[in-house]
Amino acid sequence: KRFKEVDRARLNRKILHLAIPNIISNLSVPLLGAVDTALVGHLDEVYYLGALAVGSVIFNFIFWGFGFLRMGTTGLTAQEYGRKNRTGMMMILARVQLLALAIGVLILLLQAPIAKLSLLLIDSSPEVADYTRVYYDIRIYTAPAVLALYGINGWFLGMQNAKYPMIIT
């Protein structure tokens, strides 16, 4: 009985070792949005804030549609990690980075139709739409890097390393 208690305590510590950095990095996402809102909220016109909100909706929709780069990579990497297959782990990282780069470039190539469709679907005032387009035209170039980070974070989590994704975030 004592042996099971020690094993359970060790397992709980290992789970916390993985969970706490993951929780901290997930908390940073709304904090970054709050900082953006605080900075833009000090500008003279309210439509700047509206443009930030609409732009954030667009990018959340685009980027979270590719959340499988993180989730799928975590599972596949964890399987190779469990097998102690270093080559397999590295191949997964290379594949997800190549896929992220390809999708990111495709998003860049389709940036004009994506912007047009997004602004058509989200009804806003002309001022908000104009400044959303400015925000969009700048932030769209982050697509390959954001998607690559999804893959990297998933790979580290699959390697049972939650600290590096927290540091990167």
Side-chain angles (χ1 to χ4, degrees):
K1 185 176 178 180
R2 175 78 176 135
F3 183 71
K4 285 185 179 181
E5 289 175 16
V6 171
D7 280 350
R8 184 170 291 145
R10 189 176 302 141
L11 179 63
N12 287 340
R13 277 193 300 276
K14 191 169 187 174
I15 290 170
L16 281 175
H17 181 75
L18 293 171
I20 290 173
N22 204 6
I23 291 167
I24 291 169
S25 61
N26 286 330
L27 286 174
S28 70
V29 174
L31 290 176
L32 291 173
V35 169
D36 286 347
T37 302
L39 290 173
V40 173
H42 283 87
L43 297 176
D44 295 336
E45 301 296 333
V46 72
Y47 49 78
Y48 295 131
L49 195 55
L52 177 65
V54 171
S56 294
V57 166
I58 293 169
F59 285 103
N60 285 340
F61 183 79
I62 292 171
F63 292 149
W64 280 108
F66 297 102
F68 67 87
L69 291 170
R70 179 180 175 195
M71 302 305 168
T73 302
T74 300
L76 293 172
T77 304
Q79 289 175 351
E80 296 301 323
Y81 181 82
R83 290 185 194 114
K84 298 180 181 5
N85 182 357
R86 185 168 172 78
T87 302
M89 290 182 278
M90 296 309 293
M91 289 304 296
I92 289 169
L93 179 61
R95 287 182 193 124
V96 74
Q97 291 304 297
L98 184 61
L99 182 59
L101 179 64
I103 294 170
V105 168
L106 183 63
I107 290 171
L108 291 178
L109 292 173
L110 296 172
Q111 65 181 304
I114 292 170
K116 189 173 185 176
L117 178 63
S118 299
L119 292 172
L120 183 70
L121 292 174
I122 301 173
D123 189 30
S124 62
S125 71
E127 294 88 1
V128 169
D130 289 343
Y131 285 101
T132 298
R133 186 60 196 244
V134 171
Y135 176 74
Y136 175 90
D137 287 343
I138 295 167
R139 189 164 173 205
I140 194 68
Y141 288 101
T142 67
V146 168
L147 299 179
L149 280 174
Y150 284 1
I152 290 170
N153 286 343
W155 187 78
F156 277 121
L157 291 172
M159 299 281 292
Q160 297 186 6
N161 181 338
K163 287 184 182 176
Y164 285 162
M166 180 187 68
I167 292 168
I168 290 170
T169 300

